[in-house]
Amino acid sequence: MIYEMRVYRCLPGRLPALLKRFDTITTKLWEKHGIKQAGFFTTLIGESNQELTYFLAWESLADRDKKWTAFQGDAEWIAARAKTEEDGQIVGNIVSQLLVPTGFSSVK
């Protein structure tokens, strides 16, 4: 398995809009495309409380490329994203890392 950690740094005050979009739109579209989430987190203590961190689980890099490309090009996603940003941009920056579990990791 490959895990992807993504950190979305929201513009000030826009985290609630991002959380709503993931809860009501994004995760449902991921199901349609076979994308598996492995956890969502907000920051309790840290550099910023305007961040959403989440993990995705992929079978391989090819699996990620195929499913992520299909999701990004999905007309329903493109329209929904535009609608949720009618009041302005939500995310200022996204950081993504692809991770491989160690041999002693509890997550494989």
Side-chain angles (χ1 to χ4, degrees), residues 14-28:
R14 299 294 282 155
L15 181 60
L18 181 65
L19 296 175
K20 181 178 179 184
R21 181 166 75 190
F22 270 97
D23 185 35
T24 62
I25 298 167
T26 309
T27 56
K28 290 171 182 56

Side-chain angles (χ1 to χ4, degrees), residues 19-61:
L19 296 175
K20 181 178 179 184
R21 181 166 75 190
F22 270 97
D23 185 35
T24 62
I25 298 167
T26 309
T27 56
K28 290 171 182 56
L29 288 171
W30 283 355
E31 288 176 20
K32 172 182 168 182
H33 291 283
I35 296 173
K36 298 177 209 164
Q37 62 107 333
F40 281 88
F41 308 87
T42 55
T43 304
L44 178 62
I45 298 172
E47 188 175 319
S48 172
N49 65 356
Q50 291 298 301
E51 293 181 344
L52 173 65
T53 301
Y54 68 89
F55 292 85
L56 298 173
W58 305 106
E59 296 294 328
S60 65
L61 289 175

Side-chain angles (χ1 to χ4, degrees), residues 57-97:
W58 305 106
E59 296 294 328
S60 65
L61 289 175
D63 179 51
R64 181 197 183 274
D65 289 343
K66 177 184 170 191
K67 292 175 180 177
W68 195 253
T69 299
F71 164 68
Q72 289 290 305
D74 187 311
E76 188 178 353
W77 163 243
I78 294 166
R81 180 179 175 184
K83 178 135 182 75
T84 62
E85 293 182 347
E86 287 176 345
D87 293 335
Q89 184 178 338
I90 295 174
V91 177
N93 180 291
I94 300 171
V95 175
S96 174
Q97 294 184 60

